Amino acid sequence: MVVLVTGANGQLGQAIRSVAGKYPSIDFVFCNSSELDITDPENCKTVFAEKKPDFCINTAAYTAVDKAESEPEKAFDSNANGAQNLADACKEHNTVLIHVSTDFVFDAYYADGTAFYDRELRLPLKSKLGLQESDVPFPSGMYGLTKLQGEQAIQATWKKHIIVRTSWVYSEFGNNFMKTMLRLASERDSLSVVNDQIGTPTYAVDLAKVLIEIILSPITRNSIPDIYGIYNFSNEGQCSWYEFAKEIFRQKNSTIDLKPIPTAAYPTPAKRPAYSVLDKSKIKTTFGITIKDWKESLTNCLQNYS
């Protein structure tokens, strides 16, 4: 089985590479942006014709959330056009497309303008706990919008797709919140972190394993039509960015003075989702996946990073 991985030098691409050796039945083909430019349709066609992948895991994306506000064309080219090009190539070669998306397709409101998150209670206003795949996306920034457009392009083009929305990805690879916190702790005596944005950290290695488990699942291999569509994945539990940072420093025995602040005290060009805890019931039920608590996965990551 040939599995083509785009964005091989990115955080998730490196995470997949780190566990690839545990799956000898898969012939992984890792392509960085110079080897496979997803924004170039002809390049996509050439690589697919040469490699003939059974599956394509798309981890390539424009992920500079704030910069996307001033570079919307670049974000659109990678996140929307790139997804379209891969969907076209997958359709031509009957390749199943595993596409990684984001919690940024949501905001603190539903598309009809009704709020679903109470900042004071730190809970959704609806009866459920966690955003479901069927909830109507309502992105507030260019990054989320272009990722949503990528999802829609795939859905309109090629039926054999599995879109996995995830959140707050970190790891020992690339640039991410965990590594930034550890760096700042080595440079400063105190630090302020937002405490009213609620979500779930996702260890990229856990996500990498789940993407591979989906590929190896008998129901995926047998191309059962009902499995295609959107799935949520993150680690279990929820926290604020402040609580995430606090747990990082607790596990590292850091003595930095950490202070909670509201979002209003830390303005950014792009608005962040106020609440983006994902309901993972669908992916657990469909593929029989067991998901670790975010604190346990953070421990594993810190052990691999130190």
Side-chain angles (χ1 to χ4, degrees):
M1 186 198 315
V2 178
V3 176
L4 174 66
V5 181
T6 70
N9 287 348
Q11 179 176 201
L12 181 55
Q14 292 183 71
I16 295 172
R17 194 191 295 270
S18 74
V19 299
K22 298 178 181 179
Y23 304 93
S25 65
I26 298 178
D27 179 13
F28 286 96
V29 177
F30 291 95
C31 292
N32 59 35
S33 58
S34 63
E35 296 162 329
L36 173 54
D37 179 1
I38 66 170
T39 68
D40 183 343
E42 293 305 317
N43 186 206
C44 290
K45 290 179 182 178
T46 300
V47 172
F48 271 70
E50 177 186 347
K51 304 300 182 182
K52 297 178 172 58
D54 300 290
F55 291 85
C56 173
I57 302 178
N58 180 32
T59 76
Y62 181 105
T63 58
V65 175
D66 288 323
K67 211 170 181 182
E69 297 302 306
S70 57
E71 295 183 343
E73 297 86 359
K74 288 185 178 180
F76 180 83
D77 203 22
S78 292
N79 297 341
N81 284 342
Q84 178 70 69
N85 294 336
L86 288 175
D88 288 336
C90 285
K91 183 177 182 178
E92 182 178 349
H93 292 272
N94 196 32
T95 301
V96 178
L97 177 56
I98 313 290
H99 177 74
V100 180
S101 193
T102 174
D103 61 325
F104 271 77
V105 300
F106 293 106
D107 193 356
Y109 296 87
Y110 285 113
D112 63 3
T114 58
F116 65 75
Y117 176 67
D118 187 306
R119 287 186 182 273
E120 293 297 323
L121 296 176
R122 300 207 329 176
L123 290 171
L125 296 174
K126 305 293 182 180
S127 59
K128 65 192 179 190
L129 288 176
L131 291 159
Q132 298 172 334
E133 292 85 351
S134 58
D135 286 329
V136 178
F138 186 54
S140 61
M142 291 307 305
Y143 169 66
L145 176 60
T146 57
K147 289 295 288 183
L148 177 60
Q149 290 170 328
E151 290 184 10
Q152 294 169 337
I154 291 168
Q155 290 170 312
T157 302
W158 180 223
K159 63 181 179 180
K160 291 186 179 180
H161 67 264
I162 293 175
I163 296 168
V164 179
R165 290 173 177 159
T166 191
S167 64
W168 297 24
V169 180
Y170 71 95
S171 68
E172 59 268 39
F173 310 108
N175 299 314
N176 55 70
F177 181 82
M178 182 199 78
K179 292 173 74 172
T180 298
M181 290 299 102
L182 293 175
R183 175 180 58 80
L184 292 176
S186 69
E187 299 171 351
R188 304 181 184 181
D189 296 325
S190 64
L191 185 64
S192 298
V193 178
V194 169
N195 74 333
D196 59 355
Q197 295 171 20
I198 309 302
T200 306
T202 303
Y203 182 26
V205 173
D206 289 348
L207 175 57
K209 291 177 180 177
V210 163
L211 298 178
I212 298 170
E213 286 179 39
I214 288 173
I215 289 172
L216 293 175
S217 170
I219 61 174
T220 307
R221 298 289 300 280
N222 293 329
S223 295
I224 298 174
D226 289 348
I227 70 162
Y228 299 122
I230 299 175
Y231 293 85
N232 292 333
F233 178 81
S234 67
N235 285 112
E236 295 283 21
Q238 66 179 52
C239 63
S240 67
W241 288 108
Y242 165 78
E243 290 164 334
F244 186 14
K246 186 177 180 180
E247 182 64 17
I248 293 169
F249 297 140
R250 186 193 71 80
Q251 292 197 25
K252 292 297 289 185
N253 296 314
S254 172
T255 57
I256 190 169
D257 180 20
L258 184 66
K259 299 181 177 68
I261 58 171
T263 297
Y266 187 72
T268 55
K271 185 179 178 183
R272 268 61 175 173
Y275 179 87
S276 60
V277 177
L278 301 173
D279 183 315
K280 278 85 67 175
S281 301
K282 182 181 177 183
I283 199 169
K284 289 190 285 189
T285 301
T286 304
F287 298 104
I289 289 170
T290 301
I291 304 177
K292 295 178 181 177
D293 183 82
W294 72 268
K295 291 182 181 180
E296 178 185 355
S297 289
L298 175 61
T299 300
N300 295 337
C301 180
L302 289 171
Q303 288 173 346
N304 292 332
Y305 184 54
S306 58

